[in-house]
C-alpha cells in the first residue's frame, strides 16, 4: 500500500493539510513533494477553500530532505538529477505564494532546510515551544541560500538577522522567531491547531474576494518599486472591490446590525 504522505481534512471553507511521515520526521521524499505541489497548485481553481492550515504529524515539522526518497534516473547525470529535485521542491514554495488562500502554518520540533522554507512560504506562523529551525544547507558544503530562504528571510526579519542565520546554518529558536517577528506566537503543541482554526475563523468573517486580494497585494507590494506603486495597486483593488456585490451586502448588513452574507460576487 502506498504511503499516505499528506492528509487533507476539509472543515468547510478551511482545509487542514498535514505532513504525514512522522516516522521519518516528515522529511521531503519525492512523493511528499509531488503531493504538496499538486495540492497547492490546484488551490488556484478551488476558491471555495478560503484558508489553508499547514501542520505536521509527530514530533517534527519537517527535518529537511529525505536523501534516499527520490527515484534515480539511470539515464540522467548527477547534475540533471539534482536539478530536477531542486526545481520540484522550489515549485512547492512558489505555488504556496501564488495560491490565493492565506496559509497558516503550525510548527513543532525540527524544521530544517526545506522544512524551514515551507514555514517561510506561509502567511502566518505559530510555533510550539520546541520549534528549532535552520537553513541547514551551508552545514553540508552547500550555500546557505536555498529554497527561497534568501528571498523570504531578509524580507521577514531584516538583512542582519537573515545573514546571521543563513551564513552559519545555526538553529533559530521559537523565542527568537517571535522576537524578530517571524512567528506570531508560541503556543503549546497540543493547542496549535485550535489556535490556527481560531485565526482562520476570523479570516472567514471577511469577504472572499477581499481576503484573496489582500494576500495578492501583500505579495506584490513587498517588492513594490516605490511607495507610489504600492498605493496604485491598493487604489485599484479598493475601487474594484467597491463595485462588487459583497461590498453592497456589507453596507446593508452594517445598517441592519447583522453579519454579512457573503456571495463572492
Amino acid at each position: 500500500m502506498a504511503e499516505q504522505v499528506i492528509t487533507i481534512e476539509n472543515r468547510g471553507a478551511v482545509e487542514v493539510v498535514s505532513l504525514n511521515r512522522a516516522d521519518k520526521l516528515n522529511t521531503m521524499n519525492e512523493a511528499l513533494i509531488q503531493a504538496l505541489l499538486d495540492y497547492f497548485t490546484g488551490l488556484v481553481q478551488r476558491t471555495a477553500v478560503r484558508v489553508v492550515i499547514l501542520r505536521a504529524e509527530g514530533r517534527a515539522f519537517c527535518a529537511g530532505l529525505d536523501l534516499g526518497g527520490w527515484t534515480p534516473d539511470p539515464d540522467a547525470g548527477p547534475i540533471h538529477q539534482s536539478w530536477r529535485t531542486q526545481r520540484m521542491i522550489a515549485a512547492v514554495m512558489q505555488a504556496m505564494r501564488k495560491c490565493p488562500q492565506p496559509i497558516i502554518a503550525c510548527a513543532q520540533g525540527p524544521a530544517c532546510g526545506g522544512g524551514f522554507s515551507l514555514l517561510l512560504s506561509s502567511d502566518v506562523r505559530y510555533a510550539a515551544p520546541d520549534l528549532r529551525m535552520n537553513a541547514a544547507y551551508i552545514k553540508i558544503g552547500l550555500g546557505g541560500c536555498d529554497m527561497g530562504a534568501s528571498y523570504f528571510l531578509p524580507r521577514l526579519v531584516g538583512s542582519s538577522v537573515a545573514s546571521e542565520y543563513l551564513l552559519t546554518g545555526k538553529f533559530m529558536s521559537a523565542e527568537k522567531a517571535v522576537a524578530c517577528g517571524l512567528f506570531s506566537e508560541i503556543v503549546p503543541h497540543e493547542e496549535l491547531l485550535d489556535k490556527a482554526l481560531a485565526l482562520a475563523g476570523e479570516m472567514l468573517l471577511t469577504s472572499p474576494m477581499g481576503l484573496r486580494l489582500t494576500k495578492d497585494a501583500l505579495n506584490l507590494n513587498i517588492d513594490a518599486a516605490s511607495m507610489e506603486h504600492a498605493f496604485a495597486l491598493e487604489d485599484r483593488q479598493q475601487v474594484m472591490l467597491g463595485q462588487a456585490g459583497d461590498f453592497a451586502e456589507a453596507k446593508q448588513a452594517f445598517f441592519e446590525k447583522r453579519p454579512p452574507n457573503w456571495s463572492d460576487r
Side-chain angles (χ1 to χ4, degrees), residues 13-18 40 43 50-56 61 96-97 99 101-107 118-119 121-127 183-185 187 191-204 211 215:
V14 179
E15 284 192 342
V16 181
V17 181
S18 301
F40 285 112
L43 282 174
R50 297 189 55 204
V51 183
V52 172
I53 296 171
L54 179 63
R55 59 177 300 277
F61 178 73
M96 290 172 68
R97 297 314 310 143
C99 74
Q101 297 84 353
I103 301 168
I104 305 170
C106 304
L118 286 176
L119 297 176
S121 304
S122 300
D123 296 286
V124 180
R125 291 161 287 273
Y126 291 121
F183 275 66
S184 295
E185 194 174 333
V187 181
E191 298 175 18
L192 277 174
L193 180 56
D194 287 341
K195 184 73 175 180
L197 287 168
L199 181 62
E202 291 186 59
M203 292 179 179
L204 294 184
L211 186 65
K215 173 171 177 173

Side-chain angles (χ1 to χ4, degrees), residues 11 18 24 28 42 56 59 72 85 89 103 105 110 112 133 146 150-151 153 166-167 172 178 193 201 203 246 260:
R11 298 196 178 202
S18 301
K24 300 290 187 181
M28 294 175 165
R59 66 182 182 88
T85 301
I89 299 174
I103 301 168
C112 306
M133 303 168 289
D146 196 8
S150 62
Y151 178 84
L153 197 57
L166 295 183
L167 291 170
M172 179 185 290
V178 170
L193 180 56
M203 292 179 179
D246 274 342

Side-chain angles (χ1 to χ4, degrees), residues 63-67 86 112-114 134-144 146 166-170:
L65 185 67
D66 181 350
L67 294 174
Q86 185 82 17
C112 306
N134 76 332
Y137 326 101
I138 202 167
K139 293 284 194 180
I140 57 172
L142 300 173
D146 196 8
L166 295 183
L167 291 170
T168 64
K170 71 178 184 177

